[in-house]
RNA sequence: GCCCCCGUAGCUCAGGGGAUAGAGCAUCGGUUUCCUAAACCGAGGGUCGCAGGUUCGAAUCCUGCCGGGGGUACCA
C-alpha cells in the first residue's frame, strides 16, 4: 500500500498528452510539509508554466480537471502560485486500514524487481576486541539487511574479517617476543590485546623521515612470512583464530545481531591475490611503482598499492579479489560496504579500479557513516584514553535499562525486569545511532539515549507498552480482532491522522532503502508515536462512546502496535509488553 | 599542497529546488475522577558560516572565501 504511488499514478495519467515525459513532474508530488496544506501536494504546475507557456494556476486547474479522483481523493485545492493540495478521502482511509488489519505484511508490498545484495558490514579486526567504532557498521548493516529482506530482496551478509593484515604481523611478533604464556592460556583474547597494544607502543609513531623502525620492520616481515605460508606463523595464526572469533560472536549475540551468512575474512582471499595482481598488470590497470611495489594510479598524487615492496598484498588487492569472488558466487546486483567515512577515498579508488578491471553491471556503494564522539566532541575514548570496548558498552547499556525498569515498575518479576532492561538498554543504543543521519558524527550519551522524552528508543518502547496495556486491561485478544476486522470510523482528527500515518509505512521503508538511511524509519516511527500519543490522549478506547467506536479504535491500536513492533524489529530492536 | 565531508534556534540535530525554515532537549505556562502523566497542549527563541551567481522560486544547485573534521604509496 503506497499512497504516494497511487496519487502519482493519477497524475501520470493526467499529465500524459500534456507533456512528452510526465516523470519529472510526477516526481514533484510529495507528502505535504504542513498538514494545513492537505496530505500530499503537487508542485509541478509552476515548473510546467514555462514548458507550456501558460500561467501556473491555469495549468493547476487544468490538471485538477483531468484527474480521475475516484474515491481516493477529495477535490484538490489550488493555492499560492499554483500548488495543488491533495487530501485523501477519509472513507477511503478507513476502508483501507480495515483491509490491512489482518495482513502479515501490514500492507507493505514486496518489491517487484527483486535484487540480490551483498552487504559487507561490521568487519572487525580479529586481533582486537570489538570496540565502539564497530557499533555503527554492525547495527546499520543489520538494519539495512532486515529492511531489504522485508521488502523481498535477497541479501547475502558477509563479515569481511580483518584476519590477515599487518595487525597479525604485530601479533605474531608480540606472540613470539612478549607473550605471557599463562595469561595467554587463561584468556587468549585479553593477552593478545595486551600484546598488540604493547607492540604498538614500542613502535611508537612512525615518521617517514626517520630511519626505519626495526620493530615495525620485524612486524612487516612476520606479515610477509604469514602471507607466504610460513608453517610456524600459519600454525600460530590458526591457534589465534577460534577464541578471537568466539569473542566476536558472543558480542553479536549480546547485541542481537544474527549470524552472518559468510565470514570470509581477508585470509580467505589470500590464495587469489597473486592472480589478481597478475590480472591487473595484464589489463594495464596496475603498474610498477617505487622500489618494486605495484600500484594503481588514479591521478598525479592519488595512488593505491596492490603489492608492497616486500611482496605483501594490501587491502586494495584483497578487496578486489573479494569483488571478483562475490560476483562469481553470489551474482549480486549490488555490493554494499558499511564502513566509516574515513575510508571514502579507498572505496572511490577501489570502485574505480574494479571498473577499469572490467567489473560492470553491478552497483558498488560505500555506505559511509560518521564517528561516535565523546562529550569532548573527539572520537570516544575511555578515561584511560583507550578504545571503548563494545562488550562493556553493551553491559553498561543493559544496566542503564535496568535502572529505568526498576524505577518505574519495581513490581515486575525479576526475570521480566532483566529482559526489559536488555530490550530497553540495547534498544536505546541502537535507536540513538540509527536515528542520526548516518553521515553525521554523533555524541554518545547514555543520558540522552535513555531519556524518557523525545525521539528515543525508550519513548518508542513506551508508546508500544501503553498500547498493549489497553488490550491487557480490556482482556481482548488482538488475534480475534484481526480475524474479523470491525469497520473503521475516522471521525476525529486524531483517528484520521493515525490512519494516514499507518498507511505511510511502505513509503518510509522504501525511502530508507533508496538512500540506505535507516533514519527514515526512525523519522517515521517518531511521527507515528507522536500521532499515536495524540490519539491515546484524546480518544478513549475502553471507555469509547459506543461499541462501534471502541472496536474501530481497537483496530487502530492493534495496527499501530504491530507497525511499531515491525519497524523496531527492522532496526534490530526488541519490544516488551510491559516496562 | 591536493582531495572528501561538515557549518541551520542556547544545546543536539532534521530538512538537500517550492508556501511564514522544523523537531527534541533546555526555559516559561497549562492539562490527571480517564487505557502506564515515562504522556499531552501552548509560548518564546533563527542574518540557515560569509559573498557572489543560476532559477518564477535557493537553507537546498554552482563559484570563491572563512571556520571545523578527515584522508593523502607500503595500517585497514
Amino acid at each position: 500500500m503506497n499512497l504516494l504511488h497511487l496519487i502519482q499514478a493519477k497524475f501520470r495519467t493526467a499529465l500524459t498528452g500534456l507533456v512528452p515525459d510526465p516523470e519529472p513532474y510526477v516526481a514533484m508530488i510529495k507528502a505535504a510539509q504542513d498538514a494545513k496544506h492537505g496530505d500530499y501536494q503537487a508542485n509541478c504546475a509552476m515548473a510546467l508554466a514555462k514548458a507550456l507557456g501558460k500561467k501556473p494556476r491555469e495549468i493547476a486547474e487544468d490538471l485538477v480537471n483531468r484527474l480521475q479522483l475516484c474515491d481516493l481523493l477529495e477535490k484538490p485545492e489550488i493555492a499560492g502560485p499554483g500548488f495543488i493540495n491533495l487530501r485523501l478521502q477519509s472513507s477511503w482511509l478507513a476502508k483501507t486500514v480495515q483491509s490491512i488489519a489482518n495482513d502479515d505484511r501490514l500492507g507493505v508490498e514486496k518489491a517487484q524487481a527483486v535484487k540480490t545484495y551483498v552487504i559487507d558490514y561490521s568487519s572487525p579486526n580479529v586481533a582486537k576486541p570489538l570496540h565502539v567504532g564497530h557499533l555503527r557498521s554492525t547495527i546499520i548493516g543489520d538494519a539495512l539487511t532486515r529492511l531489504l529482506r522485508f521488502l523481498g530482496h535477497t541479501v547475502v551478509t558477509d563479515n569481511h574479517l580483518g584476519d590477515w593484515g599487518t595487525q597479525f604481523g604485530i601479533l605474531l611478533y608480540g606472540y613470539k617476543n612478549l607473550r605471557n604464556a599463562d595469561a595467554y592460556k587463561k584468556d587468549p583474547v585479553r593477552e593478545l590485546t595486551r600484546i598488540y597494544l604493547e607492540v604498538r607502543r614500542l613502535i611508537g609513531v612512525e615518521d617517514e623521515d626517520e630511519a626505519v623502525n626495526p620493530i615495525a620492520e620485524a612486524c612487516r616481515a612476520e606479515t610477509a612470512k604469514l602471507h607466504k605460508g610460513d608453517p610456524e606463523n600459519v600454525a600460530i595464526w590458526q591457534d589465534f583464530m577460534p577464541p578471537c572469533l568466539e569473542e566476536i560472536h558472543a558480542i553479536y549475540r549480546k547485541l542481537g545481531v544474527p549470524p552472518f551468512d559468510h565470514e570470509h575474512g581477508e585470509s580467505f582471499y589470500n590464495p587469489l591475490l597473486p592472480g589478481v595482481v597478475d590480472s591487473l598488470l595484464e589489463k594495464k590497470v596496475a603498474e610498477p611503482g617505487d622500489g618494486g611495489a605495484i600500484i594503481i594510479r588514479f591521478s598525479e598524487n592519488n595512488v593505491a598499492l596492490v603489492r608492497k615492496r616486500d611482496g605483501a598484498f594490501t587491502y586494495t588487492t584483497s578487496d578486489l579479489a573479494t569483488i571478483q569472488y562475490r560476483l562469481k558466487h553470489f551474482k549480486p546486483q549490488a555490493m554494499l560496504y558499511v564502513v566509516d567515512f574515513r575510508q571514502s577515498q579507498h572505496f572511490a579508488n577501489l570502485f574505480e579500479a574494479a571498473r577499469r578491471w572490467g567489473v560492470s553491471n553491478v552497483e558498488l556503494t560505500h555506505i559511509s557513516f560518521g564517528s561516535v564522539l565523546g562529550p569532548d566532541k573527539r572520537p570516544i575514548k575511555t578515561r584511560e584514553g583507550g578504545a571503548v570496548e563494545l562488550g562493556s558498552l553493551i553491559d553498561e547499556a543493559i544496566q542503564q535499562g535496568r535502572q529505568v525498569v526498576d524505577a518505574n515498575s519495581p513490581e515486575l518479576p525479576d526475570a521480566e525486569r532483566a529482559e526489559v532492561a536488555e530490550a530497553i538498554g540495547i534498544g536505546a543504543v541502537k535507536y540513538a545511532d540509527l536515528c542520526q543521519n548516518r553521515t553525521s558524527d554523533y555524541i554518545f550519551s547514555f543520558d540522552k539515549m535513555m531519556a524518557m522524552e523525545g525521539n528515543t528508543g525508550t519513548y518508542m518502547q513506551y508508546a508500544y507498552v501503553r498500547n498493549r496495556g489497553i488490550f491487557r486491561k480490556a482482556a481482548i485478544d488482538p488475534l480475534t480482532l484481526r480475524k474479523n476486522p470491525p469497520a473503521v470510523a475516522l471521525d476525529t482528527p486524531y483517528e484520521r491522522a493515525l490512519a494516514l500515518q499507518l498507511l505511510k509505512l511502505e513509503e518510509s521503508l522504501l525511502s530508507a532503502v533508496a538512500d540506505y538511511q535507516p533514519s527514515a524509519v526512525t523519522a517515521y516511527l517518531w511521527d507515528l508515536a507522536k500521532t499515536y500519543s495524540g490519539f491515546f490522549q484524546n480518544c478513549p478506547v475502553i471507555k469509547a462512546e459506543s461499541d462501534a467506536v471502541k472496536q474501530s479504535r481497537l483496530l487502530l491500536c492493534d495496527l499501530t502496535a504491530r507497525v511499531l513492533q515491525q519497524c523496531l524489529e527492522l532496526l534490530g530492536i526488541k519490544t516488551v509488553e510491559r516496562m
Side-chain angles (χ1 to χ4, degrees), chain A residues 373-381 443:
Chain A
L373 306 179
D376 57 353
K377 298 197 178 185
R378 303 291 308 164
I380 190 167
K381 291 276 190 296
I443 296 173

Side-chain angles (χ1 to χ4, degrees), chain A residues 8 22-30 41-48:
Chain A
Q8 286 178 330
E23 287 318 308
Y25 302 102
V26 167
M28 291 180 195
I29 297 159
K30 38 189 78 170
Q41 60 183 62
N43 299 337
C44 50
M46 285 82 80
L48 279 162

Side-chain angles (χ1 to χ4, degrees), chain A residues 417-432:
Chain A
R417 271 186 288 156
E419 188 194 326
V420 172
E422 218 177 291
I424 291 184
I426 294 174
V429 170
K430 288 186 177 180
Y431 194 92

